[in-house]
Amino acid sequence: MSTNSSQPDWPEIYRQRRNKIRRQVDGVILWIGHSLQPRNYAGNTYPFRQNSHFLYYTGLSEPDLLMLSFPEQDHDILFAREADIDDIVWTGPTRSRAELARDAGIDIAEEIERVKEHLAGVRSDGARIHYLPPYQYSSLYRAAQLLNMEPAEVIANVSQVLMEEVAKQRSIKTEVEIAEIEDALAITDLMHRAAMAEMGPGKRESEIAGVMQGIALAHDRQQAYNPIVTIRGEVLHNHSYSGIMQEGQLLLIDAGVESPLFYASDITRTFPVSGRFTAKQAGIYQIVLRMQLGTIGMIKSGISYRDVHLAACRIMAEGLRETGLMRGNPSDAIEAGAHALFFPHGIGHMLGLDVHDMEDLGDIVGYGKKEKRSGQFGLNYLRLSRPLEHGFVLTVEPGIYFIPALIERWQKENLHSEFIDYEKVNGYLGFGGIRIEDNILVTPTGATVLGPGIPKTIPEIESAMAQR
Ligand code: GLY
Ligand code: MN
């Protein structure tokens, strides 16, 4: 919904979201906001990040908030502690409880301690109290106190129906949410372009990571996750920045920032340190690009993401057969799981307020009710498998990696040797890894690649890097 000034009416949006979710459950919903997390002692904390469900239903990014949503339309109570003079002296003036409630479109705001009386009232009425699984220990402890339960009991009694309905609601992104992701991508684009301009032989990974994070900070943005900036792209989540780039290596960068309202972007690009791909690198790069463009071309409402993943595997197996790294029938190789030597993760995941959107709710987000996650190596990391719907935003992030420890182990076990030419594969040790990742909106007839268009093809990357 928009006002005349074309700014979204956020308090009204939050109100509507709460009115939608309350209709789906029978009882009262307890929402637990995050608390500051101590880094080494209580007064030295990590930067605060609100719980994404709390953000989705209130937009409020202050620590230590609680909310109860009752079954009646518009009936929510926000619970917050009013800042005292010491808080104001040390951390400055903050929004009052009434202002917080107003900004979230909530009619009633009360002192935090009063939540206990309301919960007692709900219990004596015999109504069910629904809540989502608390994954921070401070939230779990708070839930245990409020619900008079042991922590294990809190976890055992999370509301399955609330989890399912929240997942359903948050999975479909509205226009205002897509605008937030686009906003995050605009800054992410600047970061990746700056990395391309700054990188080169002799530079440290940390210098490039610093340039990228500096741009985010200059725009007052947080990273959506720990950025990956590495010449060892085969280490899937490599958070070390100690490497020094050398001629002939690839630099893999997986980084994205949050929007002003905390929506994530998640972009990966892989660049040649020297500015030009070697023939060997270009050969593998083109296969990954074909995997990415080919699968983006398949995406539309109704298609299962498992099928999209398997199509990426097939494009890869065919490509690697041409290079001589794989052999035999690609379908049989994929069925056996041989391709996972090179592509041991899923093709992508949901994206929203979380970089892996709602992963805290588990597989109800990415898997259909009757669908079980595969136990096969590689396929077991597919986070999104179910049929896609109009309004889903997801990542498409195929990759090809040469992981020395995995190659050594499989070769020793002679695993899938009918599909893998280990002698040829050993010629790629030290190659690293290539991943190309974009953020995609699913539409009824296809897919829209979000973002301003970060260089991706070999000519685009080489010509952008030539301008350094
Ligand atoms: N960007 C990190 C990941 O998707 O796992
Ligand atoms: Mn990703």
Side-chain angles (χ1 to χ4, degrees):
M1 173 176 291
S2 297
T3 60
N4 290 341
S5 65
S6 86
Q7 286 298 317
D9 181 353
W10 283 103
E12 180 57 26
I13 290 170
Y14 299 129
R15 189 188 284 271
Q16 286 178 9
R17 288 176 179 175
R18 294 190 299 268
N19 282 335
K20 187 164 182 187
I21 193 68
R22 84 177 81 247
R23 287 198 297 270
Q24 310 305 324
V25 301
D26 183 14
V28 173
I29 310 170
L30 167 63
W31 305 98
I32 302 175
H34 277 173
S35 302
L36 281 159
Q37 301 297 312
R39 204 157 79 93
N40 42 352
Y41 54 89
N44 187 14
T45 59
Y46 289 105
F48 180 69
R49 175 53 160 77
Q50 182 60 283
N51 175 285
S52 294
H53 305 295
F54 208 90
L55 279 176
Y56 183 81
Y57 290 105
T58 70
L60 299 176
S61 176
E62 276 76 354
D64 298 328
L65 300 174
L66 297 169
M67 180 171 64
L68 288 177
S69 294
F70 292 85
E72 306 79 30
Q73 165 101 353
D74 289 340
H75 189 184
D76 304 288
I77 308 178
L78 178 72
F79 298 92
R81 191 177 70 82
E82 207 71 271
D84 60 24
I85 191 66
D86 289 293
D87 295 323
I88 294 168
V89 167
W90 284 93
T91 53
T94 48
R95 285 186 284 184
S96 70
R97 189 190 300 138
E99 286 167 336
L100 291 171
R102 178 203 63 202
D103 292 348
I106 300 171
D107 295 335
I108 312 170
E110 296 191 8
E111 172 51 38
I112 193 115
E113 287 304 317
R114 292 219 51 218
V115 70
K116 290 181 189 147
E117 291 163 45
H118 285 280
L119 286 171
V122 172
R123 272 193 290 266
S124 74
D125 290 347
R128 163 122 199 239
I129 300 169
H130 298 265
Y131 55 90
L132 296 172
Y135 53 88
Q136 282 193 348
Y137 281 115
S138 53
S139 301
L140 179 60
Y141 182 71
R142 198 149 196 213
Q145 277 185 320
L146 294 174
L147 300 166
N148 297 324
M149 290 179 184
E150 291 297 321
E153 224 183 325
V154 170
I155 292 166
N157 285 286
V158 297
S159 171
Q160 198 64 28
V161 61
L162 181 62
M163 288 166 68
E164 284 170 13
E165 293 300 332
V166 165
K168 221 186 268 177
Q169 192 177 357
R170 280 185 54 189
S171 290
I172 308 294
K173 270 62 179 184
T174 56
E175 245 171 72
V176 291
E177 295 180 280
I178 293 159
E180 285 292 312
I181 295 171
E182 289 281 18
D183 182 291
L185 283 164
I187 309 296
T188 302
D189 174 56
L190 299 178
M191 289 161 57
H192 280 264
R193 286 179 190 273
M196 289 169 70
E198 291 294 326
M199 59 186 280
K203 289 269 176 81
R204 289 185 171 277
E205 293 164 343
S206 55
E207 289 178 67
I208 306 308
V211 166
M212 295 182 80
Q213 291 180 53
I215 291 171
L217 197 55
H219 289 85
D220 197 15
R221 300 302 177 81
Q222 296 288 331
Q223 306 296 318
Y225 51 95
N226 289 330
I228 298 164
V229 181
T230 184
I231 48 178
R232 298 206 44 210
E234 80 281 7
V235 182
L236 298 182
H237 279 177
N238 188 354
H239 295 137
S240 150
Y241 307 124
S242 59
I244 299 175
M245 285 168 241
Q246 284 166 26
E247 197 86 37
Q249 289 179 323
L250 293 166
L251 184 71
L252 184 150
I253 300 182
D254 182 344
V257 295
E258 289 185 339
S259 73
L261 294 179
F262 310 101
Y263 282 80
S265 53
D266 184 4
I267 295 291
T268 308
R269 290 290 185 269
T270 310
F271 308 114
V273 169
S274 67
R276 292 195 76 80
F277 288 90
T278 64
K280 193 171 177 182
Q281 289 167 346
I284 301 296
Y285 193 92
Q286 291 293 25
I287 299 173
V288 180
L289 189 60
R290 282 209 297 276
M291 291 162 78
Q292 211 230 17
L293 298 176
T295 49
I296 291 173
M298 290 173 68
I299 290 175
K300 61 176 181 194
S301 178
I303 193 164
S304 108
Y305 214 41
R306 187 177 197 274
D307 288 347
V308 174
H309 172 81
L310 292 173
C313 298
R314 195 184 170 90
I315 296 168
M316 181 185 74
E318 283 166 359
L320 292 182
R321 196 169 60 165
E322 280 165 34
T323 63
L325 291 163
M326 290 188 79
R327 56 190 170 210
N329 180 302
S331 301
D332 295 344
I334 292 161
E335 175 89 33
H339 64 288
L341 179 67
F342 308 102
F343 179 33
H345 63 74
I347 185 71
H349 51 83
M350 293 274 215
L351 181 81
L353 281 164
D354 308 297
V355 60
H356 293 176
D357 210 26
M358 300 171 278
E359 199 161 280
D360 61 311
L361 301 180
D363 278 352
I364 61 171
V365 177
Y367 283 75
K369 271 210 160 124
K370 294 197 185 105
E371 210 182 353
K372 277 257 163 301
R373 201 187 266 240
S374 165
Q376 188 187 68
F377 177 72
L379 202 50
N380 58 350
Y381 283 108
L382 182 62
R383 294 177 159 94
L384 176 60
S385 173
R386 51 164 298 186
L388 304 181
E389 291 178 32
H390 173 37
F392 282 13
V393 174
L394 39 89
T395 67
V396 182
E397 49 178 311
I400 296 181
Y401 313 90
F402 294 90
I403 305 168
L406 191 62
I407 293 167
E408 189 186 337
R409 171 173 303 199
W410 280 30
Q411 185 170 12
K412 211 183 265 170
E413 293 172 7
N414 208 24
L415 204 60
H416 302 306
S417 53
E418 66 273 42
F419 302 115
I420 296 166
D421 184 333
Y422 283 105
E423 211 179 295
K424 286 244 169 60
V425 172
N426 279 308
Y428 281 75
L429 290 174
F431 181 99
I434 292 173
R435 180 166 64 253
I436 307 172
E437 175 175 27
D438 279 309
N439 305 158
I440 307 294
L441 168 68
V442 180
T443 70
T445 52
T448 306
V449 180
L450 302 177
I454 304 166
K456 181 159 79 173
T457 64
I458 288 181
E460 280 167 4
I461 289 174
E462 288 188 344
S463 84
M465 292 186 78
Q467 286 153 27
R468 291 179 298 168

